[in-house]
Structures are given as C-alpha cells and as structure tokens.
Amino acid sequence: MTVKHCKSVQSAITQSSYKESVSFSTPQKLFVNPEVFRKLFKPTIDALIKHLDKLFKDPNLYDLHHIIMVGGFSECELVQTAMRKTFPNRKIIIPDEAGLAVLRGAVLFGHQPKKIGKRILRKTHGIQSWPEWEAELHPETKRVQIDGVDRCKDVFYKFAVKGEKVEDGHSSGQIFQALKTDEKTLECTVFSL
C-alpha cells in the first residue's frame, strides 16, 4: 500500500474532492461549508433514528414517553434537532454535561445497584433439555428412547426471553434430573442468544 503525503494542509484540501467547500487559514483554522458538515453526520444520525424508531415499535416500550439523551454525541445540535423532529410526541431530556452522564451512571450503579429497578433483557437465556416426547408438539426426527421413555432431543428450554422486563433480583429456576437412572452427574450448558 502506498501512502501519499502532502506538503501542507492547504495542498491536501486542494487535491481533495472538498476543495470547493473546505478552506484552511493560519493559525490552524479549518473552515467547512455548513452543508458539507451536516452531510458528514447524516448517515450516523439516520442510523440512530432508524434504530430508535424500531425500538419504539416494540410492544414492551409502548408506554415510553420520555427520551433521555446522554453521551457526547447527544450534545450535538444536529442530533438533537433530528430527534425532536422525528419524535415530536416524546419529551426529550438532555441533561447538563450529557457527555459525562454515562460515566456518572456507571459510577452510581457501581455504588448503588438498586437504583435501577427494571431492565429489558438483551438476550434469551436457556439450556438444552430432553423433555418427554409429544407427537403433536415435537418432530418425529427428534424422537429418541432413553431408559424406555420416548424423549425429544435438543429442545431449548428458556429461562428468560429477550425483550422481557425483569426487576432487580429477578431469578428463574427449574428442577432437572439425569436422563438415565444410573447416571450420577448432570451436564448442563447455558446458552445466551
């Protein structure tokens, strides 16, 4: 790979596709046409809006009426304007020093984890199970016989499902037993999808 080096910032601008919309002056000031500047942010802002729009269509979020914008990017006026334009029926809150809010939240959670009462699960968690085989529920190809009992192999037993709202301290459990009466151990793999 060949790397080309220009002798100055001005010559780099002159040789670029931005030569008509970007200029440089001393001492080290770069002037960018406002429309070109906006276009640099557009793909990222559009992706953010699309993602949020998808989230708001989730039935678990039907009652969400407030948006709290945090992180450095939330301080960008272009992002704020796009959010207000796209979600006019939601109250948008931008705290002072929004760029530090994530850090402060992490520190607060570290010291006071009970402050977050509920969360929405990002993944589904479960294990492989071998329940008794049921003709109307399980495919014939998964039917196996173990100790004289027809079972269905490779069934995913879910403990918690993606998108589910859980409260602090939530737990889920199930009693399992070894498949064969003479087995002394039970191997269990937990999956997160």
Side-chain angles (χ1 to χ4, degrees), residues 92-143:
I92 296 176
I93 302 165
I94 305 161
D96 291 336
E97 297 181 340
L100 295 175
V102 175
L103 175 64
R104 286 183 178 151
V107 171
L108 179 65
F109 181 70
H111 289 285
Q112 300 172 340
K114 300 263 186 228
K115 287 284 184 186
I116 297 178
K118 289 184 183 178
R119 67 183 75 224
I120 297 174
L121 297 178
R122 290 185 185 178
K123 295 183 176 184
T124 296
H125 305 281
I127 65 167
Q128 176 189 24
S129 68
W130 298 62
E132 288 191 18
W133 188 78
E134 296 178 42
E136 59 279 348
L137 183 62
H138 301 123
E140 184 67 38
T141 57
K142 296 285 186 176
R143 186 178 183 172

Side-chain angles (χ1 to χ4, degrees), residues 3 56 72 78 119 146 148 159 181:
V3 178
F56 294 144
L78 296 171
R119 67 183 75 224
I146 300 173
F159 284 111
T181 54

Side-chain angles (χ1 to χ4, degrees), residues 10-75:
Q10 186 60 51
S11 64
I13 292 170
T14 304
Q15 296 172 21
S16 78
S17 59
Y18 294 101
K19 62 185 170 195
E20 300 299 322
S21 53
V22 177
S23 62
F24 179 76
S25 70
T26 55
Q28 300 180 351
K29 288 188 179 181
L30 188 67
F31 297 94
V32 181
N33 176 293
E35 196 54 41
V36 170
F37 186 79
R38 286 185 198 95
K39 284 182 183 178
L40 292 173
F41 285 90
K42 187 171 179 8
T44 305
I45 293 171
D46 289 349
L48 173 67
I49 296 295
K50 183 179 177 182
H51 177 68
L52 288 172
D53 195 44
K54 181 181 173 187
L55 287 176
F56 294 144
K57 289 178 181 168
D58 185 320
N60 287 319
L61 302 176
Y62 77 95
D63 59 348
L64 185 69
H65 302 292
H66 296 78
I67 298 171
I68 301 175
M69 293 177 53
V70 296
F73 201 39
S74 65
E75 294 177 345

